[in-house]
Amino acid sequence: MSETTAAESAIIEPGEVTFRRLTYGDLPAVLSIERRSFPAPWSLAMFVLEVSKPSGVCLAATAGDGIVGYLVCSRYADVFHLMNVAVDPDRRRLGIAERMVERMLLEAGREERFTLEVRVSNHGAIAMYEKLGFRRAGRRRRYYSDNGEDAMIMWLGEPWL
Ligand SMILES: CC(C)(COP(=O)(O)OP(=O)(O)OC[C@H]1O[C@@H](n2cnc3c(N)ncnc32)[C@H](O)[C@@H]1OP(=O)(O)O)[C@@H](O)C(=O)NCCC(=O)NCCS
């Protein structure tokens, strides 16, 4: 009988991950990932507000019976804003976020326009968005109040500047 180490058991195939609508019951697990993913994490109230909006797309990525990632996308007028995406630090670089954003684009409608802000230092996330077709469209100066960092504005579809 072979022994499985903790590191090996953390490895999952992308096919084992499934996507579904995010629910209020997912939020404790979401907050746990959120707090390990961002220097200025969202509060529970912020997630509750977004999940309660009928016009947005909020997704959970699950493996087994656990949450391994989530995405929050809100609709304002005729533009979708990708507000939050994160994957469990132990499950990164497995294609989970890429597939989750693709699923969101499918649910919202490929013909729609999408925008987001991302820290200019977040090269991994920027590379992912560019791989998915988002394009850079300027900066918001000192957008992040925790460290005064600029945000990169990105668009998929025609920018509304
Ligand atoms: C950004 C984040 C969501 C990516 O999740 P992920 O599941 O690891 O990403 P994927 O495996 O789907 O990566 C898809 C592509 O994005 C790019 N990418 C993702 N992470 C990267 C990194 N650390 N460095 C360079 N490129 C990266 C690559 O092009 C990758 O494709 P490849 O693996 O074929 O090269 C994850 O790193 C995360 O949760 N970070 C903390 C929260 C965050 O910064 N969210 C974005 C805020 S705007």
Side-chain angles (χ1 to χ4, degrees), residues 2-161:
S2 68
E3 296 214 349
T4 307
T5 66
E8 282 167 348
S9 65
I11 296 170
I12 49 168
E13 294 298 323
E16 295 174 47
V17 175
T18 57
F19 303 97
R20 59 165 173 74
R21 288 281 168 147
L22 195 63
T23 67
Y24 296 117
D26 296 325
L27 296 183
V30 163
L31 279 178
S32 161
I33 297 175
E34 174 80 6
R35 289 175 183 148
R36 287 178 285 138
S37 298
F38 293 103
W42 279 21
S43 66
L44 175 62
M46 291 164 82
F47 281 104
V48 168
L49 178 66
E50 294 302 328
V51 171
S52 71
K53 293 178 183 171
S55 58
V57 181
C58 296
L59 297 175
T62 64
D65 54 5
I67 301 287
V68 294
Y70 54 88
L71 173 154
V72 173
C73 183
S74 278
R75 184 175 189 149
Y76 295 100
D78 61 347
V79 177
F80 283 88
H81 291 247
L82 187 46
M83 313 275 290
N84 196 334
V85 187
V87 169
D88 186 318
D90 297 333
R91 311 285 196 176
R92 290 185 187 159
R93 295 311 290 269
L94 295 169
I96 295 173
E98 187 177 336
R99 291 172 61 212
M100 193 158 50
V101 176
E102 281 175 342
R103 172 71 177 262
M104 180 277 291
L105 297 175
L106 204 66
E107 289 207 12
R110 284 258 172 200
E111 70 289 356
E112 300 289 345
R113 294 183 304 154
F114 301 86
T115 190
L116 60 87
E117 280 100 13
V118 54
R119 288 177 192 260
V120 292
S121 65
N122 196 344
H123 303 293
I126 291 171
M128 176 181 73
Y129 296 132
E130 289 189 322
K131 190 175 178 188
L132 285 157
F134 283 81
R135 293 292 168 252
R136 301 174 192 214
R139 286 181 176 219
R140 292 193 206 289
R141 297 283 167 205
R142 302 188 60 78
Y143 182 75
Y144 296 98
S145 54
D146 61 313
N147 65 351
E149 188 172 355
D150 290 356
M152 176 76 67
I153 305 166
M154 303 188 80
W155 280 85
L156 178 64
E158 196 181 328
W160 195 15
L161 300 173

